[in-house]
């Protein structure tokens, strides 16, 4: 029996490959996956034979995000959506642990590469952007659509990788961009046709795996401390609190109710249509400020 229920762990030629393995659900994040990722990273950290970690997805894509079809359509309380009144600290504790698990890819001492094909959407983009390097297929897509309703990206790596203007673009619109655009704005290190994706990842991993582990560790620590000094941990704390608020705001409650009424796919289509979401929600005191 595998020690991981949601991924495949393998090591070859100094490279550890972590393959997200729920292809029937587009590798959607369930309750077990964040912990599996953190434990796999910890295992690779302890292995002296590993110099580089590659994260990829099985099947048609990298990761389609949290398994919101299950979370949004299911009745009753669940980790991401409490009955009202809700306790924000219960929500924070749950989501903060997921953020810590994803950030194990950023904070581990070995370089990490996200190999992105298909889609790295919503929580899938969180996983990819917690890696040190992102290499994408030209037609792959990355973004955080729940930023329109029902989510705030808790690792909040967008601002640290893109700067304020492009980060606001991605987080305010919930836009999905392809690999070419991701490379143009500096989100991806490289984009290539999907048929060449393995070769591109192997080129970078090959350059890294020949460097002594202590050199890789020192360089990564130097770069990462600069971002910690900029306030990365505080940004993530605020984003995680706001993520809970977004799922329990009037619009967030409407979205979950709509998913239960018409199904998750139809609710998402309405969310992403460009039509004003507030029109479907009863006016609140906040609206009178506009």
């Amino acid at each position: 029996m595998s020690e991981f229920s949601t991924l495949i762990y393998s090591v070859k030629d100094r490279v550890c490959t972590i393959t997200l393995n729920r292809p029937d659900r587009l590798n959607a994040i369930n309750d077990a996956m964040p912990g599996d990722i953190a434990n796999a990273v910890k295992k690779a950290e302890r292995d002296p034979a590993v110099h580089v970690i590659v994260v990829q997805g099985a099947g048609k894509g990298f990761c389609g995000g949290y398994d919101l079809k299950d979370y949004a359509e299911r009745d009753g309380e669940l980790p991401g959506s409490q009955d009202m009144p809700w306790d924000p600290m219960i929500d924070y504790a749950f989501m903060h642990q997921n953020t810590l698990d994803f950030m194990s890819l950023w904070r581990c001492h070995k370089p990490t590469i996200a190999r992105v094909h298909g889609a790295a959407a919503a929580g899938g983009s969180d996983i990819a952007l917690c890696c040190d390097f992102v290499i994408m297929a030209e037609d792959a897509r990355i973004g955080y659509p729940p930023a329109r309703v029902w989510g705030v990206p808790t690792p909040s790596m967008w601002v640290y990788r893109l700067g304020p203007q492009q980060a606001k673009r991605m987080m305010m619109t919930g836009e999905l961009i392809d690999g070419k655009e991701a490379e143009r704005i500096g989100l991806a290190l490289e984009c290539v046709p999907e048929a060449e994706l393995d070769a591109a990842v192997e080129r970078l991993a090959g350059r890294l795996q020949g460097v002594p582990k202590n050199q890789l560790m020192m360089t990564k620590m130097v770069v990462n401390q600069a971002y910690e000094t900029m306030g990365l941990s505080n940004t993530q704390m605020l984003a995680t609190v706001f993520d809970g608020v977004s799922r329990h705001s009037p619009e967030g409650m409407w979205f979950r109710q709509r998913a239960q009424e018409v199904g998750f796919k139809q609710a998402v289509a309405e969310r992403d249509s460009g039509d004003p979401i507030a029109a479907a929600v009863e006016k609140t005191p906040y609206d009178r400020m506009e």
Side-chain angles (χ1 to χ4, degrees):
M1 175 132 350
S2 171
E3 61 189 299
F4 304 110
S5 65
T6 64
L7 59 84
I8 299 170
Y9 180 99
S10 63
V11 177
K12 181 181 179 182
D13 296 332
R14 294 185 172 187
V15 178
C16 167
T17 301
I18 296 172
T19 304
L20 309 180
N21 191 37
R22 301 187 71 221
D24 56 322
R25 299 300 289 268
L26 298 178
N27 300 315
I29 302 163
N30 62 8
D31 291 347
M33 184 177 285
D36 274 356
I37 291 172
N39 288 329
V41 170
K42 188 181 299 183
K43 182 174 180 177
E45 279 266 69
R46 291 195 300 257
D47 187 347
V50 171
H51 284 226
V52 186
I53 300 170
V54 173
V55 184
Q56 62 182 10
K60 296 181 179 180
F62 180 80
C63 175
Y66 281 90
D67 201 340
L68 293 185
K69 177 175 174 59
D70 184 40
Y71 287 142
E73 291 183 0
R74 196 192 320 164
D75 291 330
E77 286 202 7
L78 37 115
S81 186
Q82 301 173 39
D83 289 338
M84 300 296 279
W86 68 291
D87 186 333
M89 291 299 97
I90 291 175
D91 192 287
Y92 176 84
F94 169 73
M95 288 306 302
H96 181 59
Q97 184 58 56
N98 286 1
T99 301
L100 290 176
D101 290 341
F102 297 153
M103 284 296 289
S104 66
L105 292 159
W106 177 265
R107 295 197 167 108
C108 75
H109 295 141
K110 299 178 180 180
T112 55
I113 303 170
R115 176 200 180 278
V116 177
H117 76 295
S125 68
D126 289 341
I127 296 171
L129 297 184
C130 284
C131 293
D132 300 312
F133 304 98
V134 178
I135 298 181
M136 294 181 64
E138 290 178 341
D139 60 353
R141 295 169 298 148
I142 189 168
Y144 202 94
R148 287 183 54 78
V149 167
W150 227 55
V152 173
T154 59
S156 288
M157 297 301 288
W158 297 97
V159 65
Y160 296 98
R161 303 192 78 120
L162 290 175
Q165 186 165 252
Q166 290 289 1
K168 287 175 182 177
R169 166 203 175 188
M170 297 301 298
M171 293 174 68
M172 289 181 175
T173 66
E175 184 179 2
L176 285 167
I177 60 173
D178 64 20
K180 292 181 179 179
E181 176 69 358
E183 182 182 43
R184 186 188 73 80
I185 65 176
L187 189 66
L189 177 68
E190 184 180 2
C191 81
V192 296
E194 186 170 337
E196 300 173 18
L197 189 55
D198 285 336
V201 172
E202 288 169 9
R203 277 195 303 273
L204 177 58
R207 292 290 293 173
L208 295 170
Q209 61 92 8
V211 179
K213 294 191 298 295
N214 54 14
Q215 287 294 134
L216 294 169
M217 178 177 177
M218 287 186 283
T219 304
K220 184 166 178 175
M221 288 175 69
V222 166
V223 175
N224 281 13
Q225 68 79 33
Y227 286 88
E228 293 293 348
T229 303
M230 290 181 204
L232 175 59
S233 294
N234 287 337
T235 300
Q236 292 177 344
M237 178 173 64
L238 185 64
T240 303
V241 171
F242 282 173
D243 183 55
V245 172
S246 73
R247 281 179 272 105
H248 298 87
S249 67
E251 292 81 4
M253 299 298 286
W254 165 81
F255 177 76
R256 187 181 177 206
Q257 181 180 3
R258 190 67 178 151
Q260 292 169 343
E261 290 173 352
V262 300
F264 179 65
K265 286 186 177 181
Q266 177 61 31
V268 167
E270 295 175 12
R271 180 195 69 190
D272 296 345
S273 67
D275 293 333
I277 292 166
V281 182
E282 184 178 349
K283 286 285 185 179
T284 67
Y286 177 81
D287 294 303
R288 293 194 288 272
M289 296 169 59
E290 298 179 352

